[in-house]
Amino acid sequence: MQNIRAQFPILKRKVNGKPLAYFDNAATTQKPVSVIDALTRFYREANAPVHRSVYSLGVEATERYEEVRTEVQKFINAKHAEEIIFTGGATESLNIVASSFSEAFLKAGDTVLVGDSDHHAVIVPWQAVAEKKKLKLTFIPVADNGVIDLAAYKTLLKTKPKFVALTYISNVLGVINPVKEMTALAHKAGAAVMIDAAQSVAHTPIDVQKLNCDFLAFSGHKMYGPTGVGVLYGKKELLERMPPRTFGGNMIAEVTREKTTYAPLPAKFEAGTPPIAEVIGLGEAIRFIQKIGFKAIQKTEGELTAYALKSFAKIPELSLLGSKNAQNRIPVFSFIMCGVHPHDIATLLDREGISVRAGHHCAEVLHRRFSITASVRASLTFYNTKAEIDRLREALIRTVKKFNG
Amino acid sequence: MDNSDIYREEILSQYRNPQNFGVMKRPSRESYKVNPLCGDGIRLQILLTPKGVVKKVRFSGTGCAISIAAASLLTSWMEGKSLAQLKRLKPESVQKLLGVEVGPARHKCLFLSFEALRDILGV
């Protein structure tokens, strides 16, 4: 881990005259030089369309693209490579499931469970689908520590939902939900399960066969990869029965004036020219993560979590949302501060080169649950340091002093 | 841009003790605007004389130092103005009322009360 920062060129830059302390990793992580180089190398040496070329360059690009599918398959331990669909990001993956699953399997009056701590990318597509198909949308509450309320969840399952959307790790609170146990409970109640793994993919190993979820979604850019690429994992037998969402090239078997038949998986869900360079960059990001290893990642991030929690506890005006415990969480922290609005905190921290997020972080329902409109979020990853946390703590104390006099 | 002076004492004191903060019972017109970035909302109410001059103005809601200070200064300016004068107010003038340059990242905050005013005026 010592020389890990050297692999991220952006971490050397200054912001407003101060060294950058980047604490917005839950929104997007920075990119290591290996990923940046893979993108450049692809465009300089290997750029070609995939799947439809006879010439060598196109065949090579196709091979590289399909290799990454196998790498993703291994990364999340999917049973089949064609269960890996490349999308534009987790948001698109989650939208495909809401729209396609509901069309294939749900009817008016069916119940769908989403969660209070879900991201808008989970809640909003299901709200839209529920309105269109007259489904009943019910919210799984979270306990005060931010974890999904298991008792309430079990009660909700008695309503026999057909579909359950779960958040692996809250993008606001950083707490890890017991998704494996929750998936088993949902299956027992007869529901299919989708897991939003956008926040966990860079922090915890994922095994979709162990989780036994029906769908799982994540983005490349939150795991040191490029923007514009994401993954939708779905069980083969379900994806095969679900209709495509985008129509065009690559996703067809045969097109006549009268009728079109669709390609088998995964092409059925990958219409048009995919984000080829980004997929190759994603492959590089996976290799980057695997080289470090989740064991080392979790050790470093666990230390940062404990240190950050200790530092925040020293600021009496700061109230952390959710769990104050270092166990069962990643270093994502949202808080409010007495007398200072989150936006003002973020602006003042930015003057010191510290990048934090202020607002509702695309989780308005969760903020309402805690009776607030906005919070400050500092989301860390293994390349952050204790020295940066010290800078954050000191800057927060100065901010409170400035505002509260 | 160095926006350090957006938190100078004049602005912080407007934030701590905003003018025209409160709710009136029977406004002539009112509007509520939300900043989608943070969920903060400001309610702006005006009471007009029969001739269409602002007799009283109140704002309420939650916001950051920038949005509250801007609303405080904007509402003070509005008092005694005619609807025609209000309609002529430009975004740059709101910036001027605050007396400091606010960067684009905070424009939503700066113009929240101004947007409510535009809504009241139907422009």
Side-chain angles (χ1 to χ4, degrees), chain A residues 36-56:
Chain A
I36 299 168
D37 285 353
L39 292 173
T40 326
R41 204 164 51 238
F42 176 75
Y43 282 125
R44 292 181 79 105
E45 299 167 11
N47 181 49
V50 290
H51 297 142
R52 291 176 295 277
S53 310
V54 172
Y55 51 88
S56 308

Side-chain angles (χ1 to χ4, degrees), chain A residues 31 47 53 83 291 340 359 364:
Chain A
K31 319 304 172 198
N47 181 49
S53 310
E83 293 180 320
K291 224 177 191 172
V340 198
E364 266 195 271

